[in-house]
Amino acid sequence: MDILEKTENSIIIFHARYALYLLEKEFNNNEGGIEKVKWEYKFLNENKESNHFVNFSKFVKKISKKNKIILIYPLPEVGWDLPRRVKFVEFKNKLLNENKQVTTSYEIFKERNKEVFKILDNIKGPNIQRLYPHKKLCDYKTGRCITQKDNHLLYRDYVHLTKHGVKLILNDLLKLIENKN
């Protein structure tokens, strides 16, 4: 963090598993996919005190005075190792003569990230821009978040995007980077 505090006239992009990092909650998609990762890292202030929301917000506001900040909002988490889950679902599809794909609940995503959105939305400043990946990955009408598109996996595991997943949000990110405001 010391390096970022000394940085000027740069573009700094923040993206994290905010719900895990800030709220210290592992993911459960309520459909059988339960994350078994324990997060032990803390966002500490200069006095080594832990108040995740306040410290993160203050830090971003502080460095935004001398830098352009892009806040990438949460990605919908999957809850399963996607390649394994897809193989299982494809096998089941053949047995049952179905054509289902692995998707996750948009409602679960919204509920899990409600506090995260509040925190990020309250980080304000003229040099702060926002990117919302869920707008490309979730279908508001069906209430589901996709994990595959055009026969390509969008995630390589529980939460990390493949190159196909990245392509869905890359143009929006490049527009924010190129925006001189």
Side-chain angles (χ1 to χ4, degrees):
M1 297 296 176
D2 292 338
I3 293 171
L4 290 178
E5 287 180 351
K6 295 175 185 169
T7 302
E8 294 184 21
N9 301 315
S10 293
I11 298 171
I12 301 172
I13 300 171
F14 283 97
H15 174 65
R17 292 192 58 199
Y18 299 108
L20 177 64
Y21 186 68
L22 296 173
L23 305 175
E24 299 179 20
K25 292 181 186 175
E26 293 82 16
F27 183 61
N28 178 350
N29 68 16
N30 291 337
E31 298 174 2
I34 301 171
E35 183 176 37
K36 294 172 178 64
V37 171
K38 292 292 180 194
W39 191 257
E40 298 176 9
Y41 302 97
K42 309 279 186 208
F43 195 95
L44 304 176
N45 66 15
E46 55 276 356
N47 298 323
K48 306 292 186 220
E49 299 166 328
S50 176
N51 183 337
H52 305 313
F53 311 120
V54 173
N55 294 337
F56 180 74
S57 298
K58 282 183 179 178
F59 177 74
V60 173
K61 287 177 188 176
K62 179 178 178 180
I63 64 172
S64 75
K65 293 175 184 173
K66 296 181 181 180
N67 298 283
K68 179 178 180 174
I69 304 296
I70 298 174
L71 297 174
I72 301 180
Y73 277 60
L75 288 169
E77 297 159 295
V78 179
W80 295 290
D81 180 281
L82 186 63
R84 283 185 179 170
R85 184 68 181 174
V86 166
K87 285 180 185 175
F88 171 77
V89 169
E90 287 174 348
F91 177 74
K92 191 175 169 186
N93 282 343
K94 286 179 185 177
L95 286 176
L96 301 175
N97 198 25
E98 296 177 336
N99 189 23
K100 294 183 178 177
Q101 286 196 340
V102 177
T103 61
T104 58
S105 168
Y106 179 53
E107 271 310 306
I108 297 290
F109 166 77
K110 288 190 305 186
E111 181 61 32
R112 175 166 167 80
N113 289 286
K114 185 172 28 177
E115 290 301 314
V116 172
F117 272 70
K118 285 181 189 176
I119 294 163
L120 296 177
D121 288 346
N122 282 318
I123 301 174
K124 300 190 185 321
N127 293 329
I128 297 175
Q129 297 184 318
R130 300 160 200 285
L131 177 65
Y132 304 93
H134 70 282
K135 291 184 177 182
K136 300 286 184 174
L137 294 165
C138 297
D139 183 335
Y140 307 102
K141 294 175 188 165
T142 65
R144 306 298 292 173
C145 299
I146 61 172
T147 63
Q148 300 164 263
K149 187 171 183 178
D150 302 327
N151 293 318
H152 295 289
L153 298 182
L154 302 180
Y155 294 82
R156 64 179 171 89
D157 56 18
Y158 299 88
V159 71
H160 298 97
L161 294 177
T162 63
K163 67 180 180 180
H164 301 288
V166 170
K167 284 180 184 178
L168 289 178
I169 62 171
L170 186 58
N171 283 338
D172 292 338
L173 178 59
L174 291 174
K175 287 176 188 173
L176 292 175
I177 290 171
E178 292 170 359
N179 183 355
K180 303 297 183 203
N181 296 338

